[in-house]
Amino acid sequence: MEDYQEKQVNEEQSVIAEETSYQPQETTENEETAEAAKVETETAEATTETVEIAETEKAETVEAEETEIAETENKIEKTTKRNVAGNASIPVEQFDWDKLENDDLYEGNKVEIEEKYNQTLSKIAENEIVEGTVVAITKREVIVNVGYKSEGVISIAEFRYDPDLKVGDKIEVYVETAEDKRGQLILSHKQARALRSWDRVNEALENDEIIKGYIKCRTKGGMIVDIFGIEAFLPGSQIDVKPIRDYDMFVDKTMEFKVVKINQEFRNVVVSHKALIEAEIEAQKKEIISHLEKGQVLEGTVKNITSYGVFIDLGGVDGLIHITDLSWGRVTHPEEVVTLDQKINVVILDFDNDKRRIALGIKQLTPHPWDSFDSNLKVGDKVKGKVVVMADYGAFIEISPGVEGLIHVSEMSWSQHLRSAQDFMKVGDEVEAVILTIDRDERKMSLGIKQLKDDPWINIEAKYAIGSKHVAKVRNFTNFGIFVEIEEGVDGLIHISDLSWTKKIKHPAEFTQIGSIIDVQVLEIDKENRRLSLGHKQLEENPWDVFESLFTVDSIHEGTITEISDKGAVISMSYGVEGFAPIKGLKKQDGTTAKFDEKLPFKVIEFSKTAKKIIVSHTRVFEDELKENEAKEKTSNENSTKDAIKKVQLSIEKTTLGDVEALAALRDEMENQAKQ
């Protein structure tokens, strides 16, 4: 199309030049004026052209591009009109456009000419993918020829995945619009790649194809790679065979990859760069492993350090030094022994041809410390060392690098209390211990620190004689008593019945608490079981000897109800004595039952010095009083009756004597009268 237009422009210029040669010449003044105008026009055109070139090279906005396209279309339109006018050899103003529309311009062959012209062009349809050829590349655009009557312009940003793109390369483009409102062919390489992407990705996976991708950015655990317009995931472990410490160095780079996994449902793609070099590495591994032998010493580079060991690069194949094979001594973390990228000598301990695993060691390059350990040391000798490991059951003491002994928790104190080793020492402590056992063949040694002190039970009878009084610390409670410690290694038991003479204690927690100090008296010594029988109440005289004369049966005392149960109540009385009132003994005179914390008089109805028991009753106080009053009243009534009887009898006696005297007097009188 462009060649055709150029040809028309050349013909037009030739015709115009020929016509100009036959025209009469103007006056000199007109020639000078025309010449000046021509120079001015050429200068303006040159200036305009320079500006247009500068704008074309520097314009970076969409508005500048649209302006450039519009100017181009205007030029094409003007050139076309000039070409038509040139062919007719007449000015444009005098051109007969009606004749053009009636096909007279093409002498009746317009259709034939159009068909021949169209045959020279490719037939393209919108929304399809076609192949094109790169014809030009600028800083901002790529010009693509698809064989159509115009060329397409694509932003160079769509080709950032392919920095090696050059003129003449074949590429696929998507036809968005064959002609927009300006007559421009609109193409997109990005959309073409997107439409072809899944097919291409699946083909790459099936064919094990090596493809190029552009690393866009870093993400958690890896990188995001643009593959055929699809965002694929590149795991950090798949970037290289060596651990990557700086992921950012790969951003904005184009690399070769292999598709290793596709999730069709979620449209996820995983690629690997490591897979490209693994085949070569595997060949190297086979070659290296085929020459390996146990006991062989090699030089390697520290590749990676973990909490459990160190990975060593042996020149294409990796081996592992377990943390226990780094040193004969204790190692908390491998970083204490090696550093990254350090070159060290290692010895091959074992390897597996099938699994490609190689076990390495460093400590094996030096003699075992037990071989050079002092041969004069024996059981009973004292040694010094440093605590390197703590456990609940004991502590490991490093006597010298690689030579350790165990102090069991039972060998840390003469005390028989169950305690943790952390109660006696901690990691890093310098301690002195006594050798208890030593086995050079098995390279084991047991130690003790309690042996540095004398056994307190050797002369226990002299130090803690029966009846002696001491101060002890409460260690533990049981339902039947209290365990106390008089000194380290000397323990004793206070039975619950030996805590108080007066109080009835159900649990030791009612009397004291753990950690408290308590006075004790030695009651018995059990040397075989290393246990003392102790008492607390024995420090005081037995008050029940006195209570026997105070709390006699039928004596009345005030008491306070401190506890109530179904069977009765506990009564707190004077001198700290507690009595027990049966439920029937809590009934008051008004018919109600006594309540908690109520203070009432109680009568002792039973006293047992042996059992240390006092039975009391409030009900008996008023019941016995009532009975006593009734008895007194009855006695009084009986006495009154007797008095009355006596009075009657006296009265009767007096009456009878009187009558006798009267009769006697009457008889005497009658006798006197008879005599007369």
Side-chain angles (χ1 to χ4, degrees):
M1 181 67 182
E2 292 177 354
D3 295 340
Y4 176 73
Q5 291 176 351
E6 183 179 357
K7 181 178 180 181
Q8 287 184 331
V9 172
N10 293 336
E11 290 178 355
E12 177 189 0
Q13 292 176 350
S14 300
V15 172
I16 294 173
E18 183 178 356
E19 289 178 352
T20 305
S21 63
Y22 287 100
Q23 292 177 355
Q25 296 182 357
E26 301 288 338
T27 59
T28 304
E29 183 178 355
N30 293 337
E31 290 178 356
E32 293 176 355
T33 303
E35 186 67 24
K38 181 177 180 182
V39 171
E40 184 177 353
T41 302
E42 290 176 352
T43 302
E45 290 177 353
T47 302
T48 303
E49 184 177 359
T50 301
V51 172
E52 290 177 355
I53 293 172
E55 290 178 351
T56 303
E57 294 178 351
K58 298 180 180 180
E60 296 180 358
T61 63
V62 176
E63 182 179 358
E65 294 178 358
E66 293 178 351
T67 302
E68 184 179 352
I69 293 172
E71 290 177 356
T72 304
E73 290 178 348
N74 291 334
K75 288 181 180 180
I76 293 173
E77 183 178 356
K78 291 179 180 179
T79 303
T80 303
K81 291 182 178 180
R82 290 174 61 194
N83 289 341
V84 175
N87 290 337
S89 301
I90 58 176
V92 176
E93 295 79 3
Q94 300 177 11
F95 184 75
D96 188 356
W97 294 97
D98 294 334
K99 185 177 180 181
L100 176 62
E101 293 178 358
N102 295 329
D103 294 339
D104 293 340
L105 184 64
Y106 300 96
E107 297 179 357
N109 296 327
K110 181 179 179 180
V111 176
E112 183 180 349
I113 293 173
E114 284 183 352
E115 290 180 356
K116 290 182 179 181
Y117 175 70
N118 290 333
Q119 289 176 359
T120 64
L121 304 175
S122 299
K123 294 182 179 180
I124 62 175
E126 294 182 358
N127 302 324
E128 287 188 357
I129 297 176
V130 298
E131 187 177 65
T133 304
V134 177
V135 296
I137 300 176
T138 67
K139 293 181 179 180
R140 296 183 297 108
E141 299 169 335
V142 175
I143 313 301
V144 181
N145 181 14
V146 295
Y148 197 53
K149 53 186 177 182
S150 63
E151 295 170 341
V153 180
I154 303 174
S155 174
I156 198 168
E158 296 189 21
F159 297 91
R160 63 183 179 182
Y161 75 95
D162 188 5
D164 299 328
L165 184 70
K166 60 185 180 298
V167 175
D169 286 352
K170 300 290 185 180
I171 62 172
E172 288 185 336
V173 294
Y174 177 78
V175 181
E176 294 184 353
T177 306
E179 288 187 12
D180 62 2
K181 60 182 180 180
R182 300 183 183 87
Q184 179 67 41
L185 174 64
I186 306 300
L187 304 176
S188 173
H189 179 60
K190 183 178 181 180
Q191 282 189 276
R193 291 176 68 226
L195 292 174
R196 297 286 194 196
S197 59
W198 282 106
D199 293 337
R200 293 288 304 277
V201 166
N202 282 280
E203 290 176 3
L205 178 62
E206 293 175 2
N207 301 328
D208 200 25
E209 179 184 351
I210 299 175
I211 58 178
K212 287 185 177 181
Y214 171 76
I215 300 178
K216 296 174 63 176
C217 62
R218 178 180 176 179
T219 188
K220 183 178 180 181
M223 317 289 286
I224 299 298
V225 182
D226 185 348
I227 303 293
F228 304 134
I230 294 177
E231 288 189 347
F233 178 62
L234 172 64
S237 61
Q238 296 298 315
I239 298 177
D240 202 344
V241 292
K242 298 180 180 180
I244 303 300
R245 302 189 183 102
D246 184 12
Y247 284 72
D248 294 330
M249 64 183 292
F250 293 95
V251 177
D252 293 330
K253 286 189 177 182
T254 300
M255 300 174 63
E256 291 184 337
F257 302 97
K258 274 189 177 183
V259 179
V260 294
K261 185 178 180 181
I262 297 177
N263 189 320
Q264 299 291 347
E265 181 180 358
F266 297 101
R267 302 181 73 84
N268 292 335
V269 180
V270 180
V271 297
S272 171
H273 177 71
K274 177 182 177 181
L276 300 177
I277 53 179
E278 279 185 335
E280 181 180 352
I281 292 175
E282 283 298 320
Q284 293 178 358
K285 285 184 178 181
K286 291 181 180 179
E287 179 66 20
I288 294 173
I289 292 178
S290 64
H291 294 87
L292 292 180
E293 295 179 2
K294 290 183 180 180
Q296 186 178 4
V297 178
L298 300 173
E299 184 183 56
T301 304
V302 178
K303 181 178 180 181
N304 191 21
I305 300 176
T306 67
S307 60
Y308 56 86
V310 181
F311 287 93
I312 305 297
D313 183 0
L314 299 175
V317 63
D318 293 344
L320 173 65
I321 305 176
H322 195 268
I323 189 172
T324 56
D325 292 315
L326 288 171
S327 172
W328 291 113
R330 291 275 180 173
V331 178
T332 305
H333 195 278
E335 291 179 346
E336 300 174 5
V337 181
V338 297
T339 58
L340 282 174
D341 300 325
Q342 179 184 357
K343 291 188 178 298
I344 56 175
N345 289 329
V346 295
V347 60
I348 298 176
L349 304 180
D350 197 3
F351 60 89
D352 188 335
N353 288 324
D354 297 329
K355 297 182 180 180
R356 303 288 192 272
R357 293 179 179 175
I358 304 174
L360 306 174
I362 296 179
K363 71 179 184 181
Q364 289 79 6
L365 296 174
T366 58
H368 198 289
W370 271 92
D371 297 336
S372 58
F373 188 57
D374 190 354
S375 59
N376 295 322
L377 288 175
K378 59 186 181 302
V379 173
D381 289 346
K382 296 179 181 179
V383 293
K384 291 183 178 180
K386 183 179 180 180
V387 180
V388 291
V389 175
M390 291 296 302
D392 291 338
Y393 57 85
F396 289 91
I397 311 299
E398 187 178 57
I399 308 302
S400 62
V403 178
E404 296 178 2
L406 172 65
I407 304 178
H408 194 270
V409 66
S410 62
E411 302 298 337
M412 293 183 178
S413 171
W414 290 109
S415 175
Q416 295 184 5
H417 295 292
L418 295 177
R419 299 167 69 180
S420 174
Q422 285 82 357
D423 295 336
F424 298 94
M425 58 191 68
K426 61 182 182 299
V427 174
D429 287 351
E430 297 285 345
V431 297
E432 185 179 23
V434 176
I435 298 176
L436 303 181
T437 63
I438 184 169
D439 188 338
R440 296 182 181 274
D441 295 332
E442 294 293 330
R443 294 170 178 173
K444 292 180 180 180
M445 179 168 38
S446 61
L447 308 172
I449 58 175
K450 73 179 184 181
Q451 288 76 11
L452 297 172
K453 300 178 182 179
D454 294 334
D455 186 351
W457 281 88
I458 294 177
N459 57 347
I460 193 69
E461 293 90 349
K463 192 172 183 180
Y464 299 102
I466 294 176
S468 60
K469 299 177 182 179
H470 306 277
V471 175
K473 186 176 182 179
V474 178
R475 287 293 186 185
N476 194 18
F477 289 154
T478 66
N479 292 329
F480 55 84
I482 302 174
F483 286 100
V484 297
E485 184 180 56
I486 300 179
E487 68 169 271
E488 183 178 335
V490 179
D491 298 332
L493 171 66
I494 306 174
H495 195 271
I496 195 169
S497 62
D498 291 320
L499 290 174
S500 174
W501 289 109
T502 58
K503 293 183 179 180
K504 186 177 181 180
I505 300 172
K506 295 181 179 179
H507 192 275
E510 301 173 7
F511 187 82
T512 185
Q513 57 186 0
I514 294 176
S516 298
I517 302 299
I518 186 172
D519 294 328
V520 296
Q521 180 176 327
V522 179
L523 304 180
E524 294 180 8
I525 298 175
D526 185 355
K527 190 173 182 179
E528 183 178 353
N529 294 318
R530 305 172 76 92
R531 183 66 55 85
L532 299 177
S533 177
L534 306 172
H536 174 71
K537 71 180 184 180
Q538 286 78 6
L539 297 172
E540 301 174 355
E541 292 183 3
N542 189 352
W544 287 90
D545 295 336
V546 179
F547 295 159
E548 187 176 13
S549 61
L550 292 176
F551 297 94
T552 58
V553 176
D554 291 336
S555 62
I556 298 174
H557 307 270
E558 281 195 346
T560 303
I561 300 175
T562 58
E563 185 179 343
I564 297 178
S565 65
D566 295 338
K567 295 182 179 180
V570 177
I571 312 300
S572 176
M573 305 170 72
S574 57
Y575 305 104
V577 177
E578 289 184 347
F580 179 77
I583 195 69
K584 63 181 181 179
L586 297 176
K587 185 177 180 181
K588 297 196 295 185
Q589 193 170 2
D590 59 2
T592 61
T593 302
K595 298 180 180 178
F596 174 77
D597 204 30
E598 191 170 356
K599 191 173 184 180
L600 298 168
F602 291 88
K603 176 177 283 191
V604 178
I605 59 177
E606 183 181 342
F607 180 89
S608 175
K609 178 181 175 181
T610 306
K612 299 178 179 61
K613 180 174 67 173
I614 301 176
I615 306 299
V616 297
S617 172
H618 170 69
T619 307
R620 287 282 299 273
V621 173
F622 63 84
E623 283 183 349
D624 288 352
E625 184 178 353
L626 181 61
K627 289 180 180 179
E628 185 177 349
N629 291 334
E630 289 178 353
K632 287 180 179 181
E633 184 178 354
K634 183 178 180 181
T635 303
S636 177
N637 291 335
E638 289 178 353
N639 292 334
S640 298
T641 304
K642 288 179 180 180
D643 291 342
I645 294 172
K646 286 180 179 181
K647 287 180 180 181
V648 171
Q649 289 177 349
L650 290 174
S651 176
I652 293 172
E653 289 177 357
K654 288 180 179 180
T655 302
T656 305
L657 291 173
D659 292 341
V660 171
E661 290 178 356
L663 290 174
L666 180 59
R667 185 186 63 182
D668 290 340
E669 183 178 356
M670 290 177 66
E671 286 179 355
N672 289 331
Q673 289 177 357
K675 289 177 177 183
Q676 292 176 356

